[in-house]
Amino acid sequence: MLLNYVFIDIEEAFLLILTAFSLFNIPVRENWKSLLLWSALLAAWGDILSLIGVTYQMKLILFFCAQFLILLSLGHKLRAIPMTLISAIWLLTAEPILVITFNFFDVDFIIFSGSSLLRYALSYIYLATLSILPITLKWFRFDARTLWPKTVPNRYLLFLVISGGISVGFMLLLNISVLLIDILPTKIMTSTKSMWMYQLGALIFMLLNVLLFYLYVRETILRVERETEAPYAKQLIDLTTAVRSIKHDVLNHYTVILGYLKMNEYGRIENFVQNLVTETKELIDITEGVKNKTVSALLYGKMSQYTKDSIDFQVKVSPNAPQLENWKDIDVSKLLGNLLDNAYTATKKNQYEDRYIRIEWGVRSGYEYLFVENSGPTIPEEALPRLFDLGYTTRESGKGGVGLPVVKALVTKYKGEIDVVSRNGVTRFTVTLPIAEKGSQKTTDTNETVSA
């Protein structure tokens, strides 16, 4: 018993802890002595449970509860849960792998019962099997943190997948254990006689699946609501900011003119006023030809923001374009707001002199079209089809992934199409919509535009 503890049990416990550490690529070299001590305590706990006659399944539960507490004491907190799970799953997997391998090569386990030396040889073959996973994870420097979802809904989805997998494992064990009698180790087959443990486990995880699915759906809905309402709310904020900015600028302009008057600098006053007229004309022209007041308000707010960031903002509107007249105002705001926000985020990655956003709105071949074009990084060809998938984003932060799916849904709702092209640092989203059967809207083509 003592020899087994020293030469087998401690090594097994150490490999299980090493497997847990390997899941997050946590170094063990510096703390190998303390880990060895914890492994000795964990192995002793397992032997005590065997001595007092605890059943196999209860022994596993209590054994990994102890490992979980050890990982918590080592400061791993939330990571202790997946670390313990990977150790438990690997322990239950390693033995069947060994049995299947021996059966494949027609090796009879009876030959290992002939002597103590052969029994130890079998134990070390098992330990070697147990070491495969941690060594592989360490070799490839695997770190589960790189797979950790960045959004709350995706985290719930990850937990749902894990919980669902465990539920399936319980159900498989309950339903097909008889079919695996020649594969599973004898002690596992013996433990399946007490089915209530697995039935309880399956019930608990099924309830957990329902809860996680509810949380995932709820968070997804909330996220969509927050991000789809954001453009409309942001439009009002931008407009308010623009009005305040104009008020503040006007006061400054009057102060400058008053100062020039006191100095009798009439030539400078003339130049200053001329510049103000030009700047005001640009602000007014940006909405020339725009029929929808919601769109005008949106463009005013954006113009103020873009000017501060040195973005060249150009708008061309055909006088014959219906301008989404059969759309709800909030839908117009969501469509244009999301497209302009994406363009703004992309063009800001360029140098000041290379930043521009261009809108063109017109009629072509009996269809209304609206395109938003911007400078910025070229979107890879393989990524273009996925831009309209919920949750997909090209941003490094991982945030976003909702705006364009909303745009796609709106265009589909109004029986239109949307296309995206990205080449040589220029990206263009084009929305094409059928024109309603109304007198002036039957215009087939026009090249006359009002330029800002």
Side-chain angles (χ1 to χ4, degrees), residues 71-72 74 100 320 363 442:
L71 294 173
L72 283 180
L74 293 174
I100 291 171
N320 291 322
V363 177
K442 293 182 181 179

Side-chain angles (χ1 to χ4, degrees), residues 74-320:
L74 293 174
H76 295 291
K77 297 182 181 179
L78 290 177
R79 286 182 295 185
I81 297 175
M83 292 168 76
T84 303
L85 282 175
I86 191 65
S87 298
I89 292 171
W90 181 233
L91 176 68
L92 295 174
T93 304
E95 288 188 8
I97 288 175
L98 183 61
V99 173
I100 291 171
T101 303
F102 274 36
N103 287 341
F104 180 79
F105 290 103
D106 294 327
V107 177
D108 194 342
F109 278 93
I110 297 177
I111 64 173
F112 293 101
S113 61
S115 67
S116 299
L117 183 62
L118 289 176
R119 285 196 295 272
Y120 276 106
L122 178 61
S123 298
Y124 276 98
I125 293 173
Y126 162 70
L127 292 176
T129 305
L130 202 61
S131 68
I132 292 174
L133 181 61
I135 290 174
T136 303
L137 293 177
K138 282 291 184 183
W139 179 269
F140 289 102
R141 296 182 180 179
F142 177 81
D143 190 341
R145 284 170 289 195
T146 60
L147 305 177
W148 183 248
K150 297 180 176 63
T151 62
V152 174
N154 287 345
R155 290 172 190 168
Y156 282 130
L157 183 60
L158 175 64
F159 290 134
L160 181 60
V161 171
I162 294 173
S163 177
I166 296 174
S167 299
V168 171
F170 275 120
M171 288 186 285
L172 286 175
L173 191 59
L174 284 167
N175 291 286
I176 65 172
S177 58
V178 176
L179 301 177
L180 301 178
I181 192 168
D182 295 327
I183 298 177
L184 293 176
T186 304
K187 60 181 180 181
I188 294 181
M189 289 307 305
T190 302
S191 70
T192 58
K193 293 178 180 178
S194 302
M195 287 295 182
W196 70 269
M197 292 288 295
Y198 303 101
Q199 292 169 345
L200 178 62
L203 177 61
I204 290 173
F205 278 98
M206 285 300 295
L207 293 175
L208 182 60
N209 291 341
V210 173
L211 175 62
L212 288 172
F213 183 74
Y214 165 75
L215 293 173
Y216 169 71
V217 172
R218 188 190 68 175
E219 284 297 324
T220 300
I221 293 173
L222 289 175
R223 181 186 175 199
V224 170
E225 288 179 348
R226 285 193 300 268
E227 298 203 26
T228 53
E229 290 175 0
Y232 195 70
K234 191 172 184 295
Q235 167 195 334
L236 298 177
I237 294 171
D238 289 343
L239 183 58
T240 303
T241 303
V243 172
R244 289 178 177 175
S245 177
I246 291 171
K247 178 182 176 182
H248 182 267
D249 290 344
V250 167
L251 291 175
N252 287 334
H253 297 333
Y254 286 152
T255 301
V256 172
I257 292 173
L258 182 61
Y260 282 148
L261 284 172
K262 289 181 178 180
M263 295 186 295
N264 297 321
E265 295 284 350
Y266 301 108
R268 290 191 175 184
I269 292 175
E270 183 180 355
N271 291 333
F272 187 76
V273 172
Q274 185 62 46
N275 289 334
L276 285 179
V277 170
T278 302
E279 183 178 315
T280 305
K281 186 177 183 302
E282 289 178 355
L283 185 60
I284 294 173
D285 286 349
I286 204 70
T287 59
E288 181 114 8
V290 176
K291 304 173 186 177
N292 192 309
K293 300 302 180 184
T294 300
V295 174
S296 296
L298 177 64
L299 295 180
Y300 271 128
K302 297 298 183 185
M303 181 66 179
S304 175
Q305 179 185 28
Y306 296 165
T307 300
K308 292 179 182 178
D309 290 314
S310 302
I311 297 173
D312 180 19
F313 188 36
Q314 306 168 20
V315 178
K316 293 183 179 181
V317 182
S318 165
N320 291 322

